Amino acid sequence: MTERVSYEQLLGISGCLALALLAHLATLPLWVLAIVMGCGLIRIGLARTGRGPPPQSVLLTVAALAVPLLFIRFHTFNGLVAGTALLAIAAGLKLLETKSHRDIYIIVLIVYFVSLAALLGGESFWLLAYLIAVCWLTTATLLRVTSSGPAPGWQGSLRYGGRILAQALPLTLVFWLLFPRFAAPLWQVPNDSQTAASGLSDSMSPGDITQLALSDEIAFRVRFASAAPPGQERYWRGPVLDSFDGHTWTRSTRGLAGSAPLRQQGRAYRYTVMMEPHQHRWIFMLDWPTGWDLPHAELSADYTLMQPDILSRPLDVTGTSYTQVQSAEPLTQNMRKRDTQLPLKRNPRTASLALQLRSAHPGDMDYVRAVLDMFAQQPFFYTLTPPKLSDNSVDEFLFDTKRGFCGHYASAFTALMRAAGIPARVVTGYQGGTRNPYGDYWIVRQSDAHAWTEVWIEPQGWVRMDPTAAISPQRIERGPGEVLGADDPLASRWQRKSPWFAGARLRADVLREVWRERILDFDQESQHKLLELLRIPEPDGQKLVMVLAGAMALVLGWLTWQVRRELSPQPRDVTTRTYARLCAKLAAAGVPRHPHEGAEAYAMRVALKRPELGTRVTALCRHYSSLRYAPPTAGITLGQFQAAVRVFRPQFKR
Amino acid sequence: MNAGHAQIEAILAQLNRVILGKDAQIRLCLACLLARGHLLIEDIPGVGKTTLAHGIAKTLGLSFQRVQFTSDLLPADVLGVSIFDRETGKFRFQRGPIFAQLVLADEINRASPKAQSALLEAMEEHQVTLDGQSMALPEPFFVIATQNPQDQVGTFPLPESQLDRFLMRVHLGYPAAAAERELLSGIDRRDLVKTLQTILTADSLRQLQESVLQIHVSPALLDYVQALVAHTRRAPGANAGLSPRAAIGMLRAARAWALICGRSAVIPEHVQAIFPAVVEHRVRQRGSDEVAASRLLEAVPVP
């Protein structure tokens, strides 16, 4: 226990600690990591020159500095981050004073604990894989420290450590499946206010969506119950923007709750949206959502599905949508007023253009078509790098620059509608998505972000109009990456050039998806279903704990049996097995054999104790002796011995 | 084989007539000699050590010499000296008592280490080297050494390295009551020895020694012997385990024992029978003088 540590062992354990703390890189204050790293480097440096740990006073100084600093920073030692920071500093100090193997054992325990703590802060598959690797390495390091002989090669240690971890797997599985689960999580994954909201927001200025289009981040995934709708119908509805100040569209739905009923037409699509946390309340549903399985979510007046709380955890929603609907009720006066408002004295050229077109096309639908024709016939360009626009953004876009992304077109189109007195609004969301061929689901990335317009046309109601489709129909059918030229930033991304990389990325995404669906989403309900399958009706905590205790006892029993077997190997060949049977019979008859007793000596003892068995036992033991120790040609055969043992039935007697 | 066994039975019967009630010890002595090992008999004076050695020599038909070891014994007294012969003008080697087939080294622990080592080297090499000249000792060559228990005054205990050269150490011990009464009523043992018949010739002894090597040893038994040897090396409290030489000797002794028992193969019981005699003088235990061989045996299961 008091053996001194070697340089190599110190290096190994320091590496493990560093790797475990790496998982906390985002949460721990940097100075904490710096202190731990400094401690490690000092100790390694000392060990390199063959010296022991620094004097106690150094340790005390570091501790006296670091611990108050921690308290000043967090005002507590409780809580995930503060606790982990304290633990990390403790590990660093321990590393600094490490001199015997016992110190290393303590650091190993801290490494395991710190790894576990990292899982309280996040639940991604890759994090778990990384932490398992760290634990594996740590176990191998521990094995190297504890091995009594000369340290084996790293490869051997890793293999042995892996075997130990693998042996823990069955019990892990049983506990994961059967450990009593609670409807509400025991702890909330910290909802850090620093986590920036991602994806679409509830306002849109020209250029906003352009920023999104550069991001490869995944917004959500969708699995359709049956066939997916065609590309030009895959519009994922997000926040609806109705208020315009000439430059920026914002959402102003306060006081407008409850959605007007819709008449569904065509076929229904059933699907599950797997949302990534985006720190907003809305959930992207296929246009137009009619059903969902979230008890607390509801549709806003604009038919956007809203959660009561912001989304800080991944969330699965199963919903139904119809791509063709009709409004069942006329537009309310409030809504009509809201959706025809335009800022005064802004974009005057647009207003006059609208008046001019409106006088030529008095019918609403005719007017809409005329505007779309204008977009299609005039030299408008679809580009990711449009010129910057100032306050009168619509005027500048329509008459000067004529270059823009979907946001520009939706904004200009909606403004033109409103200027003509037709109710219209900007809908943001996503359009399209990529199908993952390896997992049969769709991935919708931030680069699929889109903006379009909804126009109220009597008698049909709200009709989706996508001016971008008029400029660049391919964008709607194939996605932005296909449409943009080679000099656009989106197209020049290196990963798009390599089909191998794209394939590997999709495969990895499948793995992540399986992880989420099968592992993370295994909740109380899934557990109940499993238990019903296992014929454990009405499971409660007590029953589950009993099952778990049983599993634990089973594993411990198995381990004990294994160790016993390793200590006293069981006979392998038939002769010894038959002899073992004979001994077992005699033991049952009251004369057990001592392990160190030879067969013939045993027979003599049996003959002394049970004279009536003497002759037969002596003969049998003599047979065994010659079978096992004499040259193979001698006398009796194994078959005869087996037969003789089989018919030998001594009676029990005290 | 059968003829050999009959001879062995006859030898044992005859020796049992001389030393009464010590059948097991006599068998051990014979096994030791058949295994070509040297024998150490440790006991207090007067229990028949010398008589036994005499009896063995007579029965096996071996030339016999006895050396009484004393504290002033010199190596030359054992090995012999070169004497200048005036008539020939040359040195002539006067052979010492060691040039015999069976040498009884009486009370070996009374002599100085120098004299002891002269004998022990001869035992190992089966030859004597004097003045740069090597002389082979007669074949077969046995040494039966006797020693008094070492708590007696004025002795030089044999160091462990020397003890290792004796294949076995046997205690004779006091005779049992019945044997002692018979001993008291019978004739003097020394006279009895003179009447003993020679049962073996040099040839038949060599044959018997050869047939020891014919005794079958199965792999399972080798495992057992190895496990025993290994256990003596790591048994709690043991200072030093058995040497490989001792392990080889142990297996050979077990074969000789199997031969004496009239068996064609060694079984674990044979190993157990010779184990205490082979092990107890070799394996020392911290604190106490010797390790209990039975404890070592009990710790190793029979395969």
Side-chain angles (χ1 to χ4, degrees):
Chain A
M1 283 301 270
T2 53
E3 282 162 278
R4 296 180 66 80
V5 294
S6 68
Y7 173 63
E8 193 239 340
Q9 289 167 348
L10 210 55
L11 216 56
I13 192 65
S14 309
C16 292
L17 182 63
L19 288 177
L21 287 178
L22 206 59
H24 294 273
L25 195 61
T27 50
L28 283 188
L30 279 179
W31 60 267
V32 169
L33 297 174
I35 285 178
V36 178
M37 209 165 87
C39 288
L41 287 179
I42 289 173
R43 186 65 188 90
I44 288 172
L46 287 173
R48 205 185 158 80
T49 52
R51 277 179 287 176
Q56 204 78 37
S57 54
V58 176
L59 284 164
L60 285 175
T61 315
V62 177
L65 280 174
V67 176
L69 267 177
L70 262 188
F71 195 79
I72 291 168
R73 168 78 172 74
F74 294 107
H75 304 291
T76 175
F77 292 130
N78 272 332
L80 189 55
V81 180
T84 311
L86 189 67
L87 211 56
I89 285 181
L93 290 172
K94 194 76 208 166
L95 199 58
L96 197 56
E97 69 161 6
T98 292
K99 69 179 172 250
S100 67
H101 282 180
R102 196 178 148 274
D103 298 319
I104 290 202
Y105 302 155
I106 290 172
I107 300 174
V108 164
L109 284 180
I110 295 181
V111 169
Y112 285 142
F113 203 89
V114 165
S115 306
L116 190 69
L119 276 183
L120 298 181
E123 45 191 25
S124 104
F125 172 74
W126 300 114
L127 177 68
L128 182 80
Y130 174 75
L131 290 174
I132 286 176
V134 170
C135 286
W136 188 358
L137 196 67
T138 310
T139 309
T141 310
L142 181 66
L143 284 172
R144 292 173 68 74
V145 174
T146 50
S147 76
S148 50
W154 265 105
Q155 218 182 348
S157 298
L158 278 174
R159 207 176 307 129
Y160 192 22
R163 236 178 68 194
I164 290 180
L165 289 193
Q167 279 168 347
L169 212 58
L171 202 60
T172 313
L173 201 67
V174 169
F175 267 73
W176 177 70
L177 286 174
L178 299 183
F179 194 84
R181 276 162 200 273
F182 305 92
L186 273 184
W187 70 86
Q188 196 72 41
V189 170
N191 179 9
D192 207 329
S193 53
Q194 289 171 4
T195 312
S198 60
L200 295 170
S201 67
D202 52 3
S203 72
M204 183 185 81
S205 311
D208 274 1
I209 291 183
T210 320
Q211 286 302 316
L212 281 179
L214 289 171
S215 163
D216 241 358
E217 210 182 311
I218 289 172
F220 56 94
R221 296 174 178 78
V222 186
R223 197 185 286 284
F224 284 98
S226 49
Q232 63 267 27
E233 289 191 354
R234 267 199 319 274
Y235 282 83
W236 304 99
R237 194 179 184 88
V240 176
L241 312 177
D242 50 62
S243 167
F244 188 48
D245 68 355
H247 182 260
T248 304
W249 287 89
T250 48
R251 190 168 135 261
S252 68
T253 49
R254 258 163 302 158
L256 283 174
S259 51
L262 294 172
R263 253 198 300 277
Q264 301 142 4
Q265 290 173 338
R267 59 170 297 188
Y269 291 98
R270 235 186 122 64
Y271 56 93
T272 305
V273 173
M274 295 162 270
M275 292 291 303
E276 291 294 314
H278 57 21
Q279 314 296 338
H280 293 296
R281 286 178 51 213
W282 51 79
I283 292 163
F284 297 101
M285 301 292 275
L286 188 66
D287 221 2
W288 307 63
T290 55
W292 53 92
D293 66 347
L294 288 175
H296 300 296
E298 51 182 33
L299 275 189
S300 73
D302 300 323
Y303 305 102
T304 306
L305 189 60
M306 302 295 258
Q307 266 277 88
D309 303 310
I310 63 169
L311 216 65
S312 56
R313 280 173 57 98
L315 180 75
D316 287 6
V317 187
T318 301
T320 316
S321 292
Y322 288 85
T323 49
Q324 308 284 328
V325 290
Q326 258 189 343
S327 296
E329 288 174 7
L331 193 63
T332 60
Q333 277 310 309
N334 263 347
M335 289 280 268
R336 179 175 288 276
K337 196 173 158 224
R338 194 195 73 177
D339 287 338
T340 47
Q341 247 173 11
L342 276 177
L344 294 171
K345 298 177 189 163
R346 285 285 175 87
N347 301 314
R349 287 189 279 174
T350 308
S352 56
L353 173 71
L355 283 178
Q356 189 190 329
L357 277 173
R358 185 60 165 164
S359 57
H361 304 280
D364 283 359
M365 206 57 217
D366 291 342
Y367 177 73
V368 168
R369 253 184 230 117
V371 173
L372 286 177
D373 285 349
M374 178 194 80
F375 279 130
Q377 284 155 14
Q378 289 189 25
F380 283 97
F381 291 100
Y382 181 70
T383 171
L384 254 181
T385 49
K388 265 187 122 46
L389 301 176
S390 59
D391 279 354
N392 292 318
S393 62
V394 179
D395 271 10
E396 288 169 37
F397 169 65
L398 280 179
F399 299 102
D400 305 335
T401 63
K402 300 201 173 189
R403 300 168 156 268
F405 203 54
C406 53
H408 298 85
Y409 293 102
S411 168
F413 186 80
T414 312
L416 279 171
M417 289 300 128
R418 286 191 175 189
I422 304 174
R425 58 198 184 189
V426 174
V427 184
T428 58
Y430 297 86
Q431 196 275 323
T434 330
R435 185 168 171 274
N436 189 337
Y438 305 107
D440 192 30
Y441 60 89
W442 292 76
I443 299 174
V444 179
R445 299 178 188 277
Q446 299 297 359
S447 52
D448 294 317
H450 193 50
W452 62 93
T453 304
E454 272 172 6
V455 185
W456 182 271
I457 308 243
E458 297 288 354
Q460 206 172 344
W462 289 109
V463 177
R464 180 172 62 224
M465 291 291 165
D466 192 346
T468 313
I471 316 298
S472 166
Q474 296 98 321
R475 159 64 183 89
I476 307 307
E477 276 153 31
R478 281 185 241 147
E482 303 280 331
V483 178
L484 297 161
D487 52 341
D488 267 305
L490 200 64
S492 64
R493 308 200 133 183
W494 63 273
Q495 58 257 52
R496 284 178 194 275
K497 288 186 181 162
S498 156
W500 178 86
F501 182 86
R505 213 160 64 130
L506 287 175
R507 277 172 212 267
D509 197 74
V510 171
L511 199 65
R512 200 190 157 288
E513 206 37 53
V514 169
W515 163 254
R516 188 173 140 179
E517 268 181 62
R518 305 264 171 244
I519 309 288
L520 291 186
D521 289 352
F522 185 84
D523 54 7
Q524 199 179 27
E525 197 184 332
S526 333
Q527 191 179 37
H528 279 207
K529 273 184 204 153
L530 176 83
L531 289 170
E532 265 167 39
L533 273 179
L534 292 176
R535 310 233 176 275
I536 306 178
E538 293 168 35
D540 54 11
Q542 208 177 348
K543 272 184 197 166
L544 289 180
V545 166
M546 266 160 65
V547 171
L548 287 179
M552 197 81 178
L554 215 65
V555 168
L556 285 180
W558 178 78
L559 265 182
T560 317
W561 183 68
Q562 281 289 318
V563 170
R564 262 186 70 119
R565 214 175 65 150
E566 213 155 287
L567 290 181
S568 60
Q570 284 293 301
R572 303 258 157 184
D573 62 319
V574 185
T575 313
T576 32
R577 269 214 306 276
T578 314
Y579 177 56
R581 208 171 303 139
L582 172 65
C583 293
K585 283 181 176 181
L586 283 169
V591 203
R593 185 177 77 95
H594 302 311
H596 64 275
E597 209 168 19
E600 291 177 26
Y602 179 41
M604 273 165 71
R605 199 161 58 83
V606 173
L608 271 178
K609 243 182 149 178
R610 302 281 300 274
E612 79 278 6
L613 295 176
T615 348
R616 294 186 63 191
V617 172
T618 307
L620 282 170
C621 287
R622 193 71 192 253
H623 287 163
Y624 166 68
S625 216
S626 44
L627 276 174
R628 187 138 168 81
Y629 300 109
T633 49
I636 184 164
T637 64
L638 178 57
Q640 287 169 301
F641 177 54
Q642 273 183 294
V645 169
R646 204 173 303 129
V647 297
F648 177 66
R649 290 207 178 81
Q651 299 291 309
F652 178 78
K653 209 162 88 182
R654 282 217 172 268
Chain B
M1 181 48 118
N2 285 337
H5 192 241
Q7 285 172 333
I8 287 169
E9 290 292 328
I11 294 166
L12 289 173
Q14 180 157 294
L15 287 174
N16 271 323
R17 276 199 290 126
V18 182
I19 308 291
L20 297 170
K22 295 289 169 198
D23 184 46
Q25 284 88 338
I26 288 169
R27 276 169 186 267
L28 278 176
C29 294
L30 186 62
C32 181
L33 299 188
L34 289 180
R36 298 172 195 257
H38 304 291
L39 181 67
L40 180 66
I41 304 179
E42 185 175 284
D43 231 316
I44 52 166
V47 290
K49 298 186 292 261
T50 314
T51 314
L52 176 64
H54 260 294
I56 288 173
K58 192 79 193 280
T59 310
L60 301 189
L62 302 171
S63 65
F64 180 73
Q65 284 282 1
R66 175 187 166 163
V67 189
Q68 179 67 45
F69 276 46
T70 56
S71 56
D72 55 355
L73 186 83
L74 296 174
D77 297 336
V78 178
L79 305 178
V81 287
S82 291
I83 297 167
F84 186 69
D85 192 337
R86 277 193 201 162
E87 286 169 24
T88 57
K90 285 180 179 169
F91 280 95
R92 187 169 56 81
F93 183 66
Q94 181 71 46
R95 293 182 164 202
I98 197 157
F99 287 88
Q101 287 173 313
L102 199 159
V103 177
L104 174 64
D106 229 350
E107 300 194 84
I108 189 170
N109 57 340
R110 292 220 172 269
S112 65
K114 199 172 176 181
Q116 286 175 357
S117 67
L119 173 73
L120 293 161
E121 277 171 41
M123 281 164 58
E124 187 63 22
E125 310 292 330
H126 282 219
Q127 65 177 24
V128 170
T129 304
L130 269 179
D131 306 329
Q133 222 185 343
S134 294
M135 277 161 288
L137 292 169
E139 278 297 322
F141 175 70
F142 296 127
V143 172
I144 297 180
T146 72
Q147 85 174 351
N148 288 331
Q150 287 158 7
D151 52 358
Q152 291 203 350
V153 182
T155 58
F156 298 93
L158 288 174
E160 271 152 41
S161 60
Q162 309 280 38
L163 281 173
D164 198 29
R165 307 213 168 150
F166 290 98
L167 177 56
M168 288 191 195
R169 186 184 64 175
V170 174
H171 295 279
L172 280 179
Y174 297 117
E180 194 150 30
R181 279 195 55 200
E182 202 185 330
L183 190 68
L184 292 172
S185 66
I187 55 164
D188 184 62
R189 294 291 124 180
R190 291 178 197 255
D191 295 339
L192 194 61
V193 167
K194 284 172 195 153
T195 68
L196 288 181
Q197 289 172 347
T198 296
I199 294 173
L200 287 187
T201 63
D203 242 16
S204 51
L205 177 59
R206 195 172 305 121
Q207 269 177 18
L208 275 182
Q209 288 179 334
E210 285 297 316
S211 52
V212 164
L213 301 180
Q214 305 302 317
I215 300 289
H216 178 76
V217 174
S218 66
L221 191 98
L222 281 182
D223 288 347
Y224 181 53
V225 170
Q226 204 282 322
L228 276 175
V229 170
H231 181 67
T232 64
R233 290 171 189 160
R234 53 154 199 263
N239 255 351
L242 291 182
S243 65
R245 170 166 59 189
I248 293 168
M250 183 158 96
L251 187 61
R252 194 182 273 225
R255 283 172 143 164
W257 188 267
L259 179 70
I260 288 174
C261 293
R263 299 288 289 266
S264 59
V266 186
I267 62 173
E269 283 87 334
H270 299 152
V271 179
Q272 291 174 353
I274 53 95
F275 186 75
V278 173
V279 165
E280 279 189 338
H281 62 293
R282 289 186 162 101
V283 178
R284 304 228 155 222
Q285 193 147 27
R286 257 174 260 147
S288 83
D289 227 15
E290 279 151 12
V291 69
S294 58
R295 264 223 315 282
L296 290 175
L297 277 179
E298 278 166 20
V300 180
V302 170

